[in-house]
Amino acid sequence: MSNKEGVSKETRKKVLKEAKRIGYRPNQLARELVTKQSNTIGVIIPDILNPFFAEIAKGILEEASIKGYTALLCVTNWDVQLEKKYIKNLEEKRVEGIIIKPCEDEQKLEDSINTPYVILEGNNVNSAHSCVEVDNEKGGYIGTKHLIECGYRKIAYVGGKKYAYSNEKRLKGYKRALAENNIDLDENLILSGEFDSKSGYELAKTALADNPHIDGIFCGNDVMALGVLHYANQAGINIPEELGVVGFDDISYASLPQIELTTVYQPKYNLGKLAVNTLLDDIKEGKEKTLKRIILQPDLIKRKTTRKI
Amino acid sequence: MSNKEGVSKETRKKVLKEAKRIGYRPNQLARELVTKQSNTIGVIIPDILNPFFAEIAKGILEEASIKGYTALLCVTNWDVQLEKKYIKNLEEKRVEGIIIKPCEDEQKLEDSINTPYVILEGNNVNSAHSCVEVDNEKGGYIGTKHLIECGYRKIAYVGGKKYAYSNEKRLKGYKRALAENNIDLDENLILSGEFDSKSGYELAKTALADNPHIDGIFCGNDVMALGVLHYANQAGINIPEELGVVGFDDISYASLPQIELTTVYQPKYNLGKLAVNTLLDDIKEGKEKTLKRIILQPDLIKRKTTRKI
DNA sequence: CTGAAAGCGCTAACAG
DNA sequence: CTGTTAGCGCTTTCAG
């Protein structure tokens, strides 16, 4: 049936007969059980409504399909408990590997995952997984530097969870840009919340209430930036004259003519594709896998939420 | 191990021992093979980057997880061949059921699916599946009626694939609204393309070039409306004074202060939840299942791309 | 209440 | 080249 080298007449007959018999479908489950290959990978992301993750997911799904794999997609809503549950489920389903963007610190994952896995936006110091990401520090740097070059001086950092890996990296880049330009770091200008629009809105409100002299905001991601823009719009703050805003990710909505958000581009789709190829390599290499650390380059996209220079 | 009524001492000991032994994980595959219950459903949607589908997917994923099911998500990019391939894969994986938004006419699906399935936005005349959708005809009607009430008279219909079920329904509602208000139907004003932003842009361009007197556009979905708005913006057309635009879906970006798109709301998340519950019911009921046809109500959301009345 | 045995649908490793 | 057999890791059934 699985056409290896074989007969010619007999086989063909059988095939025809089988095909007839009310649509025979080979039972993958049985096959997986005996070959110990599920041809399935697990994918865990925090938020499918954020186009950033949606596009990564798209890249993952497509690449997996091309490589003959199916993907089990799980979304955690940034809930660590759910994340744990999903990992357990996936392992019981005998996925061959997992691609995960952790809700929190990835260090804790080490214990709970016994399957090969690659982390999206995480480090792999001392650990047994590969990871793929964009150079977040550089992204934070070029975004902030651009604000400075546009003449903004009191620049706030409005980010996601304080100790999230990507947030820390971007923040580091932000600080470096400030330092290089002799702008004193003001810790009060560093705010953190969630990686969503609502949080962007609230944080902008708080920040500008507490420090009315803020004239620039570097956002942890585009979705937050949208929230910041929302607040600014509502508060009658003129963008980009009174306030410069830069985001991170370059989601498709950032380029809408009504938005024109200056932002730091990430190759999202590619990140997804690379994640599965890296994972598949790791799986193939088995125990003696060489851990990979894939870092893509971000890119500054100048649009209209920052002044022209 | 699966704690039924049993021992007390002996069992506990075993459990402890097993737990110790380098993390024992029950093999779901084997269990599924013998119980013939995979606790898995398949989900096939055309486009995960469209927030409409992303939110439906979210509803599906969450509800499935709550009900103890895992979901295999497949995205087709509106490619019928891929859709077929995914259906085959899912059946070989022995999913218990499939939730699908078909790329094309769902009539053709009948032959290829041998598993219980529910269709998102499709009819179930003479067929063996349930379906869940919003009242698309009504949606088309209230959207168009609103344009008329705002004083627009030359209203174009810019939709997706001509013979897609949801498109046909919405178009029907559009025609009914026109007829009820004694506005002559002009077939030249009915355009169709793809359900994406680019197509909205192109269609708006064509429509307005061919018929400069158009003063209103009813769009097949919000993503297309965004494209229409993009073109209008670029062509210097004043919205809503010179041109009224209404969308369909109410994706989150429609409510952004920079967009404020008037649109027809769909309970997307709920649609997803209901789809899985309907499917699970159908699975449970087995052969004697009573087919369901679940129709939710759309709602007009007036924002700023149509004139105030 | 517990242990042993059968079998889910397939593949792999054998002989014929 | 074919047919047979064993067994993947579990659940279920049936004795002990």
Side-chain angles (χ1 to χ4, degrees):
Chain A
M1 273 260 63
S2 49
N3 66 305
K4 293 179 186 172
E5 303 165 9
V7 226
S8 50
K9 265 192 179 177
E10 209 97 4
T11 313
R12 228 197 268 176
K13 262 191 190 173
K14 267 196 178 176
V15 169
L16 278 169
K17 255 194 183 173
E18 296 297 304
K20 258 192 190 175
R21 273 180 33 187
I22 305 188
Y24 165 74
R25 283 263 181 288
N27 188 328
Q28 272 296 343
L29 257 41
R31 179 181 275 140
E32 291 168 14
L33 183 59
V34 53
T35 59
K36 286 160 168 299
Q37 289 206 141
S38 62
N39 288 311
T40 304
I41 59 171
V43 182
I44 302 180
I45 53 174
D47 178 9
I48 190 71
L49 294 185
N50 182 338
F52 171 64
F53 292 118
E55 196 157 342
I56 288 186
K58 184 183 163 132
I60 293 176
L61 258 25
E62 286 192 12
E63 188 66 14
S65 168
I66 289 168
K67 294 289 166 63
Y69 276 73
T70 19
L72 282 163
L73 183 68
C74 309
V75 355
T76 61
N77 286 319
W78 301 100
D79 177 339
V80 198
Q81 289 314 314
L82 249 186
E83 183 178 279
K84 266 190 181 162
K85 184 188 143 193
Y86 284 136
I87 292 172
K88 186 165 151 276
N89 278 347
L90 291 175
E91 295 197 323
E92 294 186 347
K93 285 258 180 190
R94 292 298 186 270
V95 294
E96 294 182 24
I98 295 176
I99 295 172
I100 182 171
K101 160 71 201 188
C103 307
E104 289 190 356
D105 190 5
E106 71 255 32
Q107 292 310 110
K108 295 169 191 164
L109 287 179
E110 310 267 318
D111 315 321
S112 43
I113 307 194
N114 302 304
T115 310
Y117 65 105
V118 350
I119 286 195
L120 253 21
E121 301 192 309
N123 59 54
N124 64 351
V125 188
N126 301 332
S127 37
H129 60 266
S130 294
C131 50
V132 9
E133 61 177 325
V134 103
D135 188 336
N136 281 293
E137 199 271 346
K138 183 174 172 189
Y141 174 77
I142 59 178
T144 311
K145 186 169 161 236
H146 173 65
L147 280 166
I148 297 170
E149 285 172 352
C150 289
Y152 303 104
R153 283 297 170 271
K154 273 290 185 184
I155 301 169
Y157 179 92
V158 164
K161 302 200 186 208
K162 197 149 195 166
Y163 300 109
Y165 172 81
S166 56
N167 197 62
E168 281 183 335
K169 286 281 186 176
R170 291 171 195 177
L171 187 53
K172 203 172 154 196
Y174 160 88
K175 290 180 180 171
R176 179 159 66 92
L178 255 40
E180 276 189 12
N181 289 277
N182 303 312
I183 299 181
D184 286 339
L185 178 66
D186 179 351
E187 291 283 352
N188 296 317
L189 264 39
I190 298 176
L191 300 256
S192 42
E194 299 297 321
F195 274 126
D196 59 31
S197 211
K198 199 175 146 225
S199 189
Y201 180 95
E202 299 296 346
L203 256 28
K205 192 173 179 176
T206 312
L208 289 162
D210 295 350
N211 300 284
H213 49 290
I214 286 173
D215 63 357
I217 298 184
F218 179 86
C219 305
N221 69 7
D222 280 358
V223 169
M224 294 192 83
L226 256 21
V228 169
L229 256 25
H230 189 162
Y231 174 73
N233 180 295
Q234 199 168 291
I237 297 170
N238 208 325
I239 304 234
E241 289 74 22
E242 295 174 66
L243 184 73
V245 176
V246 356
F248 207 110
D249 292 346
D250 193 32
I251 61 176
S252 65
Y253 300 92
S255 63
L256 252 25
Q258 301 93 330
I259 312 272
E260 290 274 17
L261 175 67
T262 294
T263 190
V264 178
Y265 168 82
Q266 291 207 60
K268 301 161 283 293
Y269 183 80
N270 238 333
L271 242 22
K273 273 182 116 78
L274 281 169
V276 351
N277 287 326
T278 307
L279 181 63
L280 260 29
D281 283 350
D282 284 358
I283 293 171
K284 207 180 299 160
E285 292 167 15
K287 272 294 167 203
E288 310 81 25
K289 62 171 173 268
T290 58
L291 266 18
K292 288 131 203 119
R293 178 170 191 78
I294 297 184
I295 300 186
L296 303 185
Q297 289 311 303
D299 197 10
L300 181 70
I301 313 278
K302 297 178 197 170
R303 284 196 277 246
K304 304 198 177 146
T305 55
T306 46
R307 287 183 210 125
K308 277 268 184 305
I309 33 175
Chain B
M1 274 260 63
S2 49
N3 67 306
K4 292 180 188 172
E5 303 166 8
V7 224
S8 50
K9 266 194 179 176
E10 209 96 2
T11 314
R12 228 197 267 175
K13 263 191 189 171
K14 268 197 175 175
V15 169
L16 279 169
K17 254 194 181 172
E18 294 298 304
K20 259 192 188 173
R21 271 181 34 189
I22 305 188
Y24 165 74
R25 284 262 181 290
N27 187 328
Q28 272 298 341
L29 257 41
R31 179 183 269 133
E32 290 168 14
L33 183 59
V34 54
T35 60
K36 285 158 169 301
Q37 288 208 142
S38 62
N39 288 312
T40 304
I41 60 172
V43 182
I44 302 180
I45 54 174
D47 178 9
I48 190 72
L49 293 185
N50 182 337
F52 170 64
F53 291 118
E55 196 159 341
I56 288 185
K58 185 183 163 134
I60 293 176
L61 259 25
E62 287 191 13
E63 188 66 14
S65 167
I66 289 170
K67 293 290 165 64
Y69 276 73
T70 19
L72 282 162
L73 184 67
C74 309
V75 355
T76 62
N77 285 319
W78 301 100
D79 176 339
V80 199
Q81 290 313 315
L82 249 187
E83 183 178 277
K84 265 189 183 164
K85 183 188 143 194
Y86 285 136
I87 291 172
K88 185 165 151 276
N89 277 348
L90 291 175
E91 295 197 325
E92 294 185 348
K93 285 258 180 190
R94 292 299 186 268
V95 294
E96 294 182 23
I98 294 176
I99 295 172
I100 182 171
K101 160 70 201 190
C103 307
E104 289 190 356
D105 189 5
E106 72 255 32
Q107 291 312 108
K108 295 169 191 161
L109 287 179
E110 310 267 318
D111 315 321
S112 43
I113 306 193
N114 302 304
T115 311
Y117 65 105
V118 349
I119 286 195
L120 253 21
E121 301 191 310
N123 60 52
N124 64 351
V125 188
N126 300 332
S127 36
H129 60 267
S130 295
C131 50
V132 9
E133 60 176 325
V134 101
D135 188 335
N136 280 294
E137 198 272 345
K138 183 176 171 188
Y141 175 77
I142 59 178
T144 311
K145 187 170 160 235
H146 173 66
L147 280 165
I148 298 171
E149 285 172 352
C150 290
Y152 303 104
R153 283 296 169 274
K154 273 291 186 184
I155 302 169
Y157 179 92
V158 164
K161 302 201 184 207
K162 198 150 194 166
Y163 300 109
Y165 172 81
S166 55
N167 196 62
E168 281 184 335
K169 286 281 186 178
R170 291 171 196 177
L171 186 53
K172 204 172 153 194
Y174 160 87
K175 289 181 180 172
R176 179 159 67 92
L178 255 39
E180 276 188 11
N181 290 276
N182 303 312
I183 299 181
D184 286 340
L185 179 66
D186 180 350
E187 292 284 352
N188 295 317
L189 264 38
I190 299 177
L191 301 253
S192 42
E194 299 298 320
F195 275 125
D196 59 32
S197 211
K198 199 174 146 229
S199 189
Y201 180 95
E202 298 297 346
L203 257 26
K205 191 171 178 177
T206 312
L208 289 162
D210 295 350
N211 301 281
H213 47 293
I214 286 174
D215 62 357
I217 298 184
F218 179 86
C219 304
N221 69 8
D222 280 358
V223 169
M224 293 192 85
L226 256 22
V228 169
L229 256 26
H230 188 163
Y231 174 71
N233 180 295
Q234 200 168 292
I237 298 169
N238 208 324
I239 303 229
E241 289 75 21
E242 295 174 67
L243 184 72
V245 176
V246 356
F248 207 110
D249 291 347
D250 193 32
I251 61 177
S252 65
Y253 300 93
S255 63
L256 252 26
Q258 303 94 330
I259 311 273
E260 291 273 20
L261 175 66
T262 294
T263 190
V264 177
Y265 168 81
Q266 291 207 59
K268 302 161 282 295
Y269 183 79
N270 238 333
L271 241 24
K273 273 182 117 76
L274 281 169
V276 350
N277 286 326
T278 306
L279 181 63
L280 261 30
D281 283 350
D282 285 357
I283 293 170
K284 207 180 300 161
E285 293 168 14
K287 271 294 167 200
E288 311 81 25
K289 61 172 174 270
T290 58
L291 266 19
K292 287 132 203 118
R293 180 172 190 78
I294 296 184
I295 301 185
L296 303 185
Q297 289 310 302
D299 197 10
L300 181 70
I301 312 278
K302 298 177 196 172
R303 283 194 278 246
K304 302 196 178 149
T305 56
T306 47
R307 287 182 209 128
K308 277 267 185 307
I309 32 176

